[in-house]
Amino acid sequence: MPYRLLYSSYSKYEQDWESYPHTHYFSELFYVLNGCGSFIVEEESFPIRKQNLIIINPSIRHTEVSDKNSPLEYIVLGVEGLNFLIYNDKEYLNIQCEDFSENLDFYFHTILREMDEQKESYETICQNLLEALIIQLSRHTGSPVEMLPSSKRLPANAVTQSASSILTSEKTSLLTHLRS
C-alpha cells in the first residue's frame, strides 16, 4: 500500500496539557470537531475552528493552541508514506470544510472507532477508509499526493509487530503532544 495509517487520536483540551512545537517523519491530518484556537506551522500562526482540516507534511514543525473559553476538540491521523504536493510553497494545507464536513466526520470518526475497538479486520477497514479519504482530499484540495521513498519510512512490519500498543487512541494521543 502506498501509505499506511499509524494511529488515530482524539483529544479535547481541558487545560490539562500543553502542546509544544514538534515534527514527525510522517504526515498528520488534524480535523477540528469543536472549539477554536490557533495552529502554528514553522513560524506562521493562523486561527482554526470547527470543521478546519489541517494537513501537515512530514518533518514540518507544528503545534496547536486552544482557546481556553472554547476548547479545541479534534481527531488526528498519523499517516506514514504520504506527502501532499502543495503548490503555494508551503508544506501544509489549512482547509475550512463546511461543504465537506459530513464526509470528514464519517471518515475520521469511523477510523477512530475502528482503531479503538480493534475488532476483526479493523486494520483493513482503516486502511481502506484512509485511502478513500486521501483520494477525496486530493480531489477537494486540488493537491495531488505522492508516496514517499521507502528510505524515509519504517519497515512494513515495524507498526504491525506492536499494533496493540501503537494503535490505541489512548496511548497515541500521548504521542501527539510529545516534543521531538
Side-chain angles (χ1 to χ4, degrees):
M1 293 181 205
Y3 30 83
R4 182 176 58 208
L5 182 65
L6 296 175
Y7 64 84
S8 67
S9 173
Y10 166 84
S11 292
K12 181 175 181 181
Y13 180 73
E14 294 176 322
Q15 299 182 19
D16 54 345
W17 51 264
E18 254 186 81
S19 184
Y20 297 94
H22 58 280
T23 63
H24 309 280
Y25 73 91
F26 49 85
S27 293
E28 277 193 322
L29 286 70
F30 184 101
Y31 182 55
V32 181
L33 303 171
N34 283 304
C36 60
S38 59
F39 209 87
I40 302 166
V41 180
E42 299 293 349
E43 302 303 319
E44 183 179 351
S45 177
F46 51 87
I48 57 173
R49 61 184 168 92
K50 182 178 180 176
Q51 298 176 335
N52 266 119
L53 173 67
I54 300 94
I55 300 170
I56 305 293
N57 277 336
S59 304
I60 302 302
R61 190 174 141 109
H62 64 279
T63 193
E64 75 284 354
V65 178
S66 183
D67 182 318
K68 291 179 176 145
N69 297 320
S70 181
L72 284 172
E73 181 179 358
Y74 54 87
I75 297 173
V76 178
L77 304 179
V79 183
E80 180 184 45
L82 175 70
N83 191 62
F84 276 81
L85 299 174
I86 303 167
Y87 296 114
N88 62 2
D89 294 329
K90 299 187 180 200
E91 290 297 322
Y92 71 92
L93 290 169
N94 175 22
I95 311 154
Q96 185 59 36
C97 301
E98 287 100 354
D99 61 332
F100 195 54
S101 65
E102 257 184 60
N103 285 344
L104 293 179
D105 285 345
F106 167 76
Y107 286 116
F108 278 82
H109 281 99
T110 304
I111 289 171
L112 182 67
R113 185 180 62 251
E114 287 290 331
M115 299 269 294
D116 280 345
E117 294 174 357
Q118 297 189 9
K119 292 181 180 176
E120 181 182 344
S121 301
Y122 77 96
E123 299 101 332
T124 302
I125 291 170
C126 289
Q127 187 64 34
N128 288 332
L129 287 170
L130 176 66
E131 290 182 27
L133 172 61
I134 298 303
I135 291 167
Q136 292 217 2
L137 288 174
S138 182
R139 286 179 184 167
H140 186 77
T141 63
S143 297
V145 297
E146 67 178 347
M147 185 175 79
L148 293 176
S150 60
S151 64
K152 295 183 181 181
R153 298 166 51 182
L154 287 177
N157 64 353
V159 172
T160 55
Q161 284 179 345
S162 58
S164 63
S165 65
I166 293 177
L167 299 179
T168 62
S169 67
E170 180 180 307
K171 291 178 182 175
T172 57
S173 66
L174 297 173
L175 293 175
T176 61
H177 302 292
L178 295 177
R179 293 183 199 191
S180 57

